[in-house]
Amino acid sequence: MENSSLLETEQDRSERMIDSEPNKLETQQNESDEIVRGQLSKLETESDGMIKDEPDKPRESKPFDTMLDLYHVLDRLIPYPETDIVESVDFTYRGSEIANKKTHLQKIDKEKSPRTIVCHDMKGGYLEDRFFWGSTSHDSYLFYNWYAIDTFIYFSHHFITVPPYGWICAAHKHGVKILGTIITEENTSVYEFWQSIVESYDNLQAFADALVTLTKRYGFDGWLLNFETNFTKNDFRPSQPLNHVVDKVLYFVKYLTETLHKEVENSEVIWYDSLVKVGALAWQNELNEENKDFFLNCDGIYLNYQWTKDHLDRTNTLVKQLGRDVRDVYVGLDIFARGTSGVGEFNCSDALDAIRKYNFSVAIFAPGWTHEHFGPNHFNIVDDIFWTLLFPYLHIHVPIYEDETFRSTFCRGAGTCYYYNGQEHSLPERLNEGKGFYELRLQQPQLSVPVRILDLKNTTYTHLIAGKSAADKTIKILEEDDADIGDDIKTPMTRIEELYLKWWHIIEENENLTDKSIVLRGNTFEYCEDFSYEGGGCLRVITRNEKLYHRLFLVYVNFKLYIQASLVYAEAETNASTREPPILILGRNSAFKAIQPYDHSRVNDRWWKCTYLTDFKTVDEIGVLFRRNCVCYLGEVVLDKYDQIFGK
């Protein structure tokens, strides 16, 4: 009862603060209107690139650097092609159980599972990902652990950051929401924007309505609000008291959130921990009295990165007093480790463990560090290691395919060459003759499990030591009985490649290296970019224990008819004489069935295709089993209705 009355008091005060003065400023109408009319004429020749392809250039996703930029083209924006988000079931799986390769996974109520945001910040944004139909920069950054996250935020330092079309396609294909970013920082144009917009409630509503229209027209799911503007500085000269300005910001947050919820299903507005109730820019690193009113008027708060356990304790207490779900608090985790006392880079597991103890959600900022820091040549290896370390603290959502074909060729949306039916093939919308492609909309459904290169534990990952520059970074190699490493120092990639290529395994508390034949007995797989069945890559599957199957996808596939499946695979050696085909593993309610192929035929010189007939109508897990020690490649997995090929 005490919590309930406290909540009523806080909500009532917040409502009064926001709604008390909507008509007080009518007599001040509207300096900003004159500014808009005066400057619109300057933009007449600048809008075409915002709304359509130029004759000799591809269509691009672009940000808006001013409010007027948006207003001028809003009615003429060409919508992005529609990309419906794939629905998910009402439960998740613990990443820890998947990482430990448990056969029977416990289903966790989705409404109790903490959520995960990835906030993508890469070199200012709008790089090769900005092109609608892709580019030839095949070694650009990719994200593929989609089923381990719930929301993807495209971040840049432009005023209005709109997610590029390719990212929207990839996120929605995996059931992940994608948000744009509104950011205001410290410069003259920003102060002019705020001075204009807070002059009236009509101005605030007009801007919010424009953002809602933009969200609907481009088909994404909401916004991160990052208002890093200090209203207490002399540069900001509003025509009203500062507390009224903050009330207007609160009104804007509430109005945008409520309007977006009405217009866009399952939309979200997230507040970043920056502006506080007195109008100052002051990162709190916790939920407290200074920022709680913003939190109460949107869907969640994204906390700054310099938090401690005490910050989390106080946040936990207050969020419960306010009657809000603790999962609406997203604790920030900066992978670049800027000002975080060593938390970041490969050293994130302890921090994520601390966050999850409160059942808080997490916002992982700039995981593209693995690409920026180590470069594209080593990206796949380093990124797999990074996410393997985080996976035990994540929750895996499950996509729904209801009377709908499930198909994946494992392509991540890029490659040195595009393949179709196992043969090199040109993309019809390529703008030049280069073979490489980077096209996120072509990304196929990705694995539900981490690409395990090494069985890494938090206490035994390789230690990256901060140096003067990225090139100076080194790795310590600790011997079993000798903590004094002396001159035994190697560069990070030398060390990682050594572990990777020789299949060494890290064990116990010290980084003792043991040969793979002694320790590493399990099965594993990795992404292969050397060739493909369709797209730019395939899955290299390594079987060392023929009694263990490879778990690939956690999905919900349901048909009215029996399911027919197919696998396309290749042997490591194209002229291998023994071709015992793979066995398909299908799971349903923790019961598994091993299915031999009904048909086995060659597609071309490299690829083989197996067809499987089942008595299942519903499947919630897909795997594969090889009854021999081998290296094989998977090029395609399909689950469809029984009557498509061999049926009645």
Side-chain angles (χ1 to χ4, degrees):
M1 292 298 293
E2 291 179 359
N3 285 346
S4 175
S5 62
L6 177 60
L7 174 60
E8 291 174 5
T9 301
E10 295 294 345
Q11 293 284 22
D12 290 345
R13 189 177 74 80
S14 180
E15 294 287 345
R16 287 196 300 273
M17 184 184 305
I18 294 170
D19 297 326
S20 61
E21 298 189 74
N23 299 313
K24 280 187 178 181
L25 300 172
E26 289 184 0
T27 58
Q28 299 177 354
Q29 186 79 22
N30 242 343
E31 270 185 16
S32 61
D33 287 347
E34 295 180 8
I35 295 173
V36 171
R37 285 192 297 269
Q39 294 189 20
L40 278 178
S41 60
K42 298 179 182 179
L43 300 172
E44 290 296 333
T45 60
E46 299 178 5
S47 62
D48 285 347
M50 295 281 190
I51 61 176
K52 62 184 180 180
D53 290 348
E54 298 177 20
D56 59 343
K57 293 183 180 180
R59 188 178 180 188
E60 300 180 19
S61 298
K62 296 182 179 181
F64 297 90
D65 288 318
T66 71
M67 182 175 63
L68 299 182
D69 288 342
L70 174 61
Y71 284 177
H72 188 59
V73 301
L74 190 63
D75 294 335
R76 297 182 291 139
L77 288 173
I78 297 176
Y80 285 1
E82 189 172 348
T83 57
D84 292 333
I85 190 169
V86 172
E87 295 185 6
S88 298
V89 300
D90 59 0
F91 62 84
T92 65
Y93 295 114
R94 289 191 181 95
S96 57
E97 293 189 355
I98 296 171
N100 291 329
K101 297 187 177 181
K102 286 192 175 182
T103 302
H104 302 290
L105 303 175
Q106 182 182 357
K107 295 178 180 179
I108 308 299
D109 185 348
K110 195 172 184 178
E111 295 304 312
K112 298 179 181 179
S113 302
R115 297 182 285 263
T116 300
I117 282 175
V118 159
C119 191
H120 174 61
D121 176 34
M122 169 85 51
K123 299 179 181 178
Y126 298 99
L127 305 174
E128 297 297 322
D129 55 1
R130 72 187 187 274
F131 298 109
F132 262 60
W133 315 121
S135 77
T136 57
S137 298
H138 60 85
D139 57 358
S140 297
Y141 175 75
L142 294 164
F143 180 76
Y144 47 89
N145 287 285
W146 290 105
Y147 293 123
I149 73 169
D150 303 277
T151 303
F152 184 92
I153 298 174
Y154 194 81
F155 181 90
S156 82
H157 288 275
H158 294 279
F159 174 45
I160 300 174
T161 296
V162 179
Y165 173 62
W167 284 114
I168 297 175
C169 291
H172 283 181
K173 188 176 294 183
H174 293 87
V176 171
K177 297 178 184 180
I178 182 165
L179 311 185
T181 304
I182 310 296
I183 187 170
T184 64
E185 298 177 284
E186 302 276 65
N187 58 62
T188 302
S189 63
V190 165
Y191 287 125
E192 291 175 351
F193 159 76
W194 280 114
Q195 286 166 195
S196 167
I197 199 173
V198 300
E199 284 299 314
S200 75
Y201 287 92
D202 287 344
N203 288 0
L204 293 163
Q205 290 179 6
F207 182 52
D209 289 341
L211 294 176
V212 172
T213 298
L214 184 60
T215 308
K216 294 169 62 178
R217 198 72 57 87
Y218 283 171
F220 55 102
D221 306 292
W223 297 95
L224 170 68
L225 303 181
N226 186 6
F227 296 162
E228 297 190 344
T229 304
N230 192 343
F231 293 150
T232 64
K233 284 192 173 182
N234 293 332
D235 295 332
F236 183 59
R237 299 183 180 90
S239 61
Q240 55 195 293
L242 188 56
N243 64 314
H244 291 182
V245 172
V246 176
D247 289 353
K248 294 287 184 59
V249 176
L250 277 168
Y251 176 81
F252 170 79
V253 174
K254 179 184 179 184
Y255 180 84
L256 174 63
T257 303
E258 292 179 348
T259 306
L260 199 60
H261 287 175
K262 292 175 185 176
E263 297 291 331
V264 179
E265 186 177 4
N266 295 320
S267 55
E268 287 185 335
V269 175
I270 305 294
W271 175 264
Y272 184 71
D273 165 28
S274 50
L275 187 68
V276 294
K277 66 180 182 180
V278 296
L281 174 60
W283 298 276
Q284 300 297 294
N285 303 299
E286 65 178 332
L287 179 67
N288 59 24
E289 294 295 325
E290 299 298 320
N291 57 24
K292 74 173 191 290
D293 290 325
F294 302 104
F295 169 64
L296 287 172
N297 286 286
C298 66
D299 298 302
I301 187 169
Y302 178 154
L303 298 184
N304 193 49
Y305 310 104
Q306 284 85 46
W307 49 268
T308 65
K309 183 180 182 301
D310 289 342
H311 289 114
L312 299 185
D313 285 338
R314 291 192 292 267
T315 297
N316 187 50
T317 299
L318 181 57
V319 73
K320 291 177 178 178
Q321 289 176 353
L322 296 174
R324 286 287 294 265
D325 192 333
V326 294
R327 300 176 308 135
D328 293 340
V329 175
Y330 295 86
V331 182
L333 193 59
D334 183 2
I335 305 308
F336 275 84
R338 288 164 284 208
T340 58
S341 301
V343 175
E345 300 184 349
F346 287 120
N347 187 26
C348 294
S349 300
D350 285 343
L352 195 45
D353 182 45
I355 293 167
R356 293 309 201 204
K357 285 178 180 176
Y358 299 88
N359 213 38
F360 289 147
S361 297
V362 66
I364 301 172
F365 184 74
W369 168 80
T370 55
H371 191 280
E372 284 196 52
H373 182 74
F374 291 99
N377 291 339
H378 305 293
F379 168 67
N380 285 339
I381 300 172
V382 177
D383 204 60
D384 287 343
I385 292 174
F386 174 81
W387 284 99
T388 296
L389 290 167
L390 296 189
F391 214 82
Y393 308 99
L394 306 178
H395 283 249
I396 311 308
H397 68 266
V398 178
I400 297 173
Y401 292 83
E402 186 76 45
D403 271 323
E404 181 181 354
T405 300
F406 171 82
R407 178 177 182 268
S408 178
T409 66
F410 307 97
C411 176
R412 291 179 174 176
T416 56
C417 181
Y418 185 83
Y419 290 81
Y420 183 75
N421 284 340
Q423 303 294 329
E424 292 188 17
H425 195 273
S426 62
L427 290 171
E429 290 157 336
R430 292 268 63 78
L431 295 171
N432 56 53
E433 299 301 319
K435 286 186 176 182
F437 75 98
Y438 177 75
E439 200 158 344
L440 293 170
R441 70 185 182 93
L442 298 180
Q443 190 175 89
Q444 294 283 299
Q446 295 297 298
L447 300 174
S448 305
V449 298
V451 178
R452 296 170 60 90
I453 292 176
L454 301 167
D455 289 329
L456 296 173
K457 296 181 180 179
N458 178 45
T459 56
T460 58
Y461 62 81
T462 55
H463 294 284
L464 296 182
I465 302 170
K468 295 181 180 179
S469 67
D472 294 332
K473 298 244 178 171
T474 55
I475 288 183
K476 291 182 179 179
I477 302 179
L478 303 181
E479 301 297 337
E480 182 174 4
D481 297 316
D482 186 8
D484 183 8
I485 61 172
D487 296 329
D488 196 3
I489 297 177
K490 299 185 180 181
T491 64
M493 283 320 306
T494 300
R495 175 61 168 162
I496 290 171
E497 285 179 328
E498 188 174 85
L499 292 169
Y500 170 69
L501 295 175
K502 296 186 177 180
W503 290 102
W504 279 346
H505 185 53
I506 303 175
I507 59 172
E508 297 179 354
E509 294 301 317
N510 295 323
E511 294 182 33
N512 305 324
L513 302 183
T514 307
D515 185 85
K516 63 176 184 179
S517 62
I518 300 175
V519 177
L520 193 53
R521 300 289 187 182
N523 298 335
T524 189
F525 46 77
E526 62 187 354
Y527 189 66
C528 172
E529 299 173 297
D530 297 335
F531 53 88
S532 175
Y533 178 69
E534 181 176 321
C538 58
L539 195 67
R540 184 174 184 258
V541 181
I542 301 102
T543 300
R544 298 188 186 87
N545 187 337
E546 64 274 14
K547 296 180 180 180
L548 300 177
Y549 79 105
H550 299 266
R551 173 179 281 144
L552 301 175
F553 298 100
L554 299 168
V555 295
Y556 178 82
V557 179
N558 184 60
F559 286 104
K560 296 175 182 177
L561 301 174
Y562 290 127
I563 290 174
Q564 175 182 294
S566 65
L567 287 175
V568 173
Y569 79 101
E571 301 282 349
E573 299 179 6
T574 56
N575 61 350
S577 57
T578 302
R579 299 193 182 280
E580 183 178 356
I583 296 171
L584 179 67
I585 305 295
L586 295 181
R588 182 180 60 187
N589 295 326
S590 297
F592 294 89
K593 189 168 186 176
I595 305 169
Q596 296 281 355
Y598 173 85
D599 183 71
H600 180 217
S601 59
R602 183 183 284 278
V603 177
N604 55 35
D605 289 343
R606 182 186 295 276
W607 295 101
W608 292 76
K609 183 172 185 177
C610 295
T611 302
Y612 306 83
L613 305 183
T614 82
D615 57 359
F616 281 9
K617 295 182 179 179
T618 303
V619 166
D620 54 28
E621 181 170 333
I622 305 170
V624 66
L625 172 69
F626 290 89
R627 290 192 180 276
R628 52 196 168 95
N629 288 358
C630 63
V631 175
C632 288
Y633 298 85
L634 294 182
E636 180 188 67
V637 177
V638 178
L639 268 63
D640 207 340
K641 295 190 293 290
Y642 182 63
D643 61 346
Q644 287 294 103
I645 300 175
F646 294 95
K648 299 177 182 179

